[in-house]
Amino acid sequence: MPPVIDEKKCKKCGYCAAICPLDVLYLDKAAQKLLVRYPDECWHCKACMRDCPVKAITIRYPLSHMMLHYPKEVE
Amino acid sequence: MHKYKCEFLCVGGGIGGLMAAIAAGKKGIDVIVAEKADTRRSGSGSNGNDHFHCYIPECHGTDMSRVYREIGASFDAGPWVDSNLTAVWINRSFEIIKMWEEMGITMRPTGEWRFEGHGMPGQQLYNLKFDGALQKKCLTAEAKKQGARILNRVVIHDILTGEDGRVTGALGIDINNEEPEMVVIECKAALLATGMVSRMYPSITPAYMFNTPCCPATTGDAQAMAYRAGAKLVNMDMLNGHAGPKYLARGGKGTWIGVSTDIRGRSITSYNSKPSRATGDITADVWPTCYRDRLKQGKGPTFMNCTETPVEDLDYMLHTAMVSEGIDSITDYCEHYGIDLTKDMVEFGTYPIMMGQRGIEIDDHARSSIPGLYAAGNCTGNVNGSLAGAAAFGMVAGEDAAEYVKTVDEAPVGNEDLINERQQLYDAFMSRRDGAHWKEAASTLQNLMNEYASADQQNEDMLRAGMVYMGQLRENCLNELACANSHELLRSIEVLNMIDLAEPIFLCSENRKETRGPHVRADYSYMDITLNGKFQTIYKDKDGTVHLEYRFKK
């Protein structure tokens, strides 16, 4: 579930849901809850994290997107 | 059904669409921008860019033959561009840079014009190093200031034309609410600018199809609706892709300050052996398939090796440049997992096909072959469509459209049959129960493209079979897709657009009976020299007859 919402900080303003380029986030106004509705459609672009006015969002990078790195061999 | 009316409609609120809206708005034209997400953070430029490919006379001198030669040689889309169009954006690039600076975009983070990256050692540098992190917000604000109306979460599906062949409007859906609403927009002219085609082929992680180097919301909508409307497409047989880290797909390879090396740290090309902040590593610009080619040749793995990069340059790359470019997911990832780029090399890969700068043929006024229909950016097929090209041709389109709309009378939107057909399709998708999910169709689309219009090798039999299977997939989609809400209808429309766009790829690939560049044919393994210097075009006339032609590159 790539964007991780800190429920204690989130003010349910819905800005992240409005600007997400992939429509991953959804503000359920009735339940006053911010949902990560389509986690596997996340691009990990950080738009939500950047623009959250109360910094309530972090991104979790899934194991499917592991960045392969190899230690330089020291001769 | 919601109806709107304007003089000039911009389909896609990216760099091209917003620049067109600004240019036309300045001339007093009534403009609507229809964007499937939100123009403040949508598309491949959503979170930033850090290189603006440009010509600044006071920095580059007036030897234009040198400028054209050097800029032309470093295109990451290869040689598939018309020189007269390249000239347009070269000549207007500085004007745009100054305009962007006035809008509040930081074009000179150091206070002076500074060029870095995408550079060949020994040649002049043409990529202005800027901070584009807020570019979309600034462009959005300027478009509004110039009077444009922005319709966010409005997805255009078809361009409408009248009896005389010119643009009369567009149709689509509003996805602002859970229940989608059909939208019809009357206009005299329209710009198509929806970017590249990110999800037609499998991603580098096939189970996760949104793991793409450029924005996965770019699904060839412009190219598909242009083709359906009868506009000419070009270079659809020249499959291309991007390169970057495995398996966190991310564009912006020019932002890395390192060298492409093998596992022992040996550079894979002779361009540079030491990392250079000035030039970056141009390997993947001039040889974008290098990582895949080396794997196929048994020479992998290949790395972006920053272990020799000075620590201050690494810090700058991770914490300044990648933020400006909007790819600091990489920075976060490195920090989270303790990846130390002074010690760890990051394996790079060639990403699967994404069809950037393959699409709508335009002229030097950004006009397509349909009167009143313009295109800009990565959905065009004969000019560099990335940031600078999108900005230049968006602006050119807006200026030209502002004049064009004064010369034509208002015309009814017409197209009642198509509008009804689409409304019935959306209703069927939304009311169907126990139907097919769009991801099922997307999976088959990607498998068919990957195997039957392969980036590795094609033959006539496979292309013909793939075309038939794609027709079967389209039919099954129309009969079986079901959508629970407007989000799923958006995704379904995207898949249908990519299925339609497969047709010109299959037909152009089959008709190019030779091997050239990225087009590799098992049954024609040699080059046909009569096609030297020629681009292939395709369009469908009103009767549905397809016309394939070769024309000389300009």
Side-chain angles (χ1 to χ4, degrees):
Chain A
M1 192 167 286
V4 179
I5 316 294
D6 184 334
E7 290 293 339
K8 286 185 193 138
K9 285 189 189 169
C10 177
K11 304 282 189 210
K12 320 290 184 287
C13 70
Y15 188 84
C16 57
I19 54 97
C20 173
L22 280 309
D23 198 25
V24 165
L25 297 155
Y26 177 75
L27 178 67
D28 185 337
K29 286 177 188 157
Q32 266 299 289
K33 201 162 168 53
L34 187 73
L35 304 172
V36 183
R37 232 182 2 169
Y38 303 103
D40 60 348
E41 296 174 30
C42 177
W43 186 33
H44 307 93
C45 71
K46 293 178 61 181
C48 53
M49 184 177 160
R50 275 178 232 284
D51 287 355
C52 174
V54 292
K55 302 290 169 217
I57 304 178
T58 50
I59 304 289
R60 186 180 75 73
Y61 295 92
L63 295 178
S64 50
H65 294 42
M66 204 170 89
M67 201 164 84
L68 309 182
H69 52 101
Y70 187 90
K72 181 192 181 184
E73 291 176 356
V74 181
E75 290 172 13
Chain B
M1 186 189 300
H2 205 106
K3 290 185 177 177
Y4 295 91
K5 184 177 174 182
C6 64
E7 290 171 288
F8 180 41
L9 169 66
C10 300
V11 180
I15 305 295
L18 291 172
M19 283 296 285
I22 291 165
K26 279 184 182 171
K27 290 181 177 286
I29 300 302
D30 181 20
V31 181
I32 285 179
V33 178
E35 160 61 49
K36 69 162 104 163
D38 185 304
T39 63
R40 292 169 293 186
R41 285 290 187 201
S42 61
S44 297
S46 57
N47 291 279
N49 284 111
D50 68 337
H51 290 109
F52 198 107
H53 212 160
C54 66
Y55 163 62
I56 299 184
E58 64 193 70
C59 303
H60 298 125
T62 52
D63 178 359
M64 292 309 289
S65 62
R66 178 182 180 183
V67 170
Y68 287 134
R69 189 177 65 245
E70 291 182 339
I71 285 186
S74 65
F75 283 145
D76 57 4
W80 306 98
V81 293
D82 281 318
S83 302
N84 62 324
L85 303 191
T86 301
V88 170
W89 74 252
I90 286 177
N91 289 322
R92 302 206 64 181
S93 54
F94 192 31
E95 178 186 341
I96 296 167
I97 286 164
K98 287 184 281 191
M99 186 196 293
W100 280 26
E101 196 165 57
E102 279 175 25
M103 290 176 198
I105 303 172
T106 309
M107 304 308 287
R108 285 184 275 193
T110 61
E112 55 190 30
W113 303 124
R114 201 182 169 97
F115 298 85
E116 283 177 15
H118 295 288
M120 184 69 88
Q123 78 161 38
Q124 284 195 141
L125 299 175
Y126 295 93
N127 277 274
L128 181 71
K129 190 72 179 176
F130 80 110
D131 177 5
L134 297 176
Q135 62 189 13
K136 292 294 310 287
K137 291 185 177 180
C138 294
L139 286 164
T140 299
E142 183 68 17
K144 285 183 174 173
K145 189 176 146 192
Q146 298 303 338
R149 280 177 284 165
I150 294 181
L151 306 180
N152 285 321
R153 301 167 73 82
V154 167
V155 186
I156 299 301
H157 191 174
D158 277 304
I159 285 293
L160 307 174
T161 55
E163 286 297 313
D164 57 359
R166 67 184 170 94
V167 169
T168 59
L171 67 80
I173 52 166
D174 183 327
I175 57 166
N176 275 289
N177 298 307
E178 286 288 274
E179 192 69 29
E181 187 182 12
M182 188 150 178
V183 169
V184 173
I185 304 178
E186 180 185 331
C187 63
K188 290 178 174 177
L191 168 81
L192 296 176
T194 67
M196 52 184 71
V197 200
S198 279
R199 298 198 333 258
M200 202 160 180
Y201 284 77
S203 82
I204 197 164
T205 51
Y208 291 86
M209 55 179 82
F210 286 70
N211 187 22
T212 57
C214 295
C215 184
T218 58
T219 49
D221 305 334
Q223 299 88 317
M225 67 182 102
Y227 184 63
R228 286 194 296 268
K232 206 178 257 190
L233 307 186
V234 63
N235 288 326
M236 297 304 289
D237 39 8
M238 291 296 151
L239 305 180
N240 67 344
H242 220 356
K246 287 164 73 174
Y247 291 107
L248 178 60
R250 208 69 3 183
K253 58 188 170 1
T255 302
W256 291 76
I257 304 171
V259 179
S260 294
T261 73
D262 66 11
I263 204 164
R264 292 178 180 78
R266 293 176 299 212
S267 176
I268 64 163
T269 64
S270 57
Y271 302 138
N272 49 355
S273 55
K274 291 280 177 200
S276 161
R277 177 168 160 178
T279 61
D281 178 22
I282 199 166
T283 304
D285 284 325
V286 294
W287 183 16
T289 56
C290 63
Y291 307 106
R292 184 176 67 214
D293 292 350
R294 284 175 52 82
L295 277 184
K296 283 198 296 192
Q297 293 160 0
K299 293 177 180 172
T302 309
F303 298 90
M304 178 54 69
N305 184 341
C306 304
T307 59
E308 303 279 319
T309 307
V311 174
E312 62 271 23
D313 286 352
L314 264 186
D315 179 58
Y316 164 77
M317 176 185 102
L318 287 166
H319 299 109
T320 302
M322 284 185 170
V323 177
S324 302
E325 168 78 349
I327 57 166
D328 53 323
S329 306
I330 293 167
T331 311
D332 291 2
Y333 191 97
C334 288
E335 288 175 355
H336 181 79
Y337 285 99
I339 300 171
D340 178 355
L341 295 181
T342 65
K343 298 192 179 88
D344 295 314
M345 308 183 291
V346 175
E347 188 174 336
F348 261 37
T350 299
Y351 297 134
I353 301 306
M354 65 181 190
M355 298 299 284
Q357 299 161 51
R358 305 290 186 260
I360 305 161
E361 182 176 73
I362 57 169
D363 69 8
D364 52 2
H365 297 283
R367 297 171 189 151
S368 76
S369 59
I370 293 178
L373 186 64
Y374 297 78
N378 272 318
C379 65
T380 59
N382 52 332
V383 64
N384 183 286
S386 52
L387 181 74
F393 279 95
M395 183 169 77
V396 166
E399 291 168 350
D400 199 83
E403 298 305 317
Y404 169 82
V405 298
K406 292 175 196 160
T407 66
V408 291
D409 295 327
E410 278 186 16
V413 171
N415 295 275
E416 285 79 10
D417 291 348
L418 178 59
I419 293 170
N420 287 335
E421 188 188 310
R422 289 301 194 201
Q423 180 74 70
Q424 284 168 15
L425 183 72
Y426 304 150
D427 289 346
F429 284 2
M430 292 300 297
S431 59
R432 201 169 276 153
R433 293 290 164 258
D434 304 319
H437 192 264
W438 67 267
K439 278 186 191 169
E440 301 169 18
S443 169
T444 301
L445 163 78
Q446 294 190 343
N447 282 329
L448 289 176
M449 294 309 292
N450 194 41
E451 289 201 299
Y452 295 84
S454 163
D456 291 328
Q457 201 170 64
Q458 304 175 344
N459 73 41
E460 187 171 301
D461 297 352
M462 286 292 280
L463 289 163
R464 285 189 177 180
M467 176 101 174
V468 168
Y469 302 151
M470 199 61 79
Q472 294 166 355
L473 175 62
R474 180 193 290 111
E475 198 61 27
N476 292 346
C477 282
L478 297 178
N479 292 328
E480 295 180 38
L481 280 179
C483 305
N485 54 29
S486 56
H487 176 88
E488 292 189 6
L489 183 57
L490 158 69
R491 294 281 178 258
S492 297
I493 288 174
E494 291 172 339
V495 172
L496 289 174
N497 276 335
M498 290 185 282
I499 290 172
D500 284 347
L501 197 54
E503 179 176 299
I505 294 175
F506 276 108
L507 291 174
C508 290
S509 298
E510 189 193 334
N511 191 48
R512 187 178 277 278
K513 300 186 191 314
E514 62 158 354
T515 289
R516 181 183 298 266
H519 176 73
V520 181
R521 287 283 295 259
D523 44 354
Y524 299 95
S525 59
Y526 41 85
M527 197 177 278
D528 175 352
I529 59 168
T530 67
L531 299 179
N532 285 357
K534 287 181 181 172
F535 292 171
Q536 187 175 196
T537 64
I538 183 169
Y539 74 95
K540 212 160 28 174
D541 65 25
K542 280 196 168 164
D543 306 326
T545 308
V546 171
H547 299 264
L548 289 154
E549 291 158 5
Y550 285 97
R551 62 137 172 113
F552 278 105
K553 168 183 167 20
K554 289 173 191 152

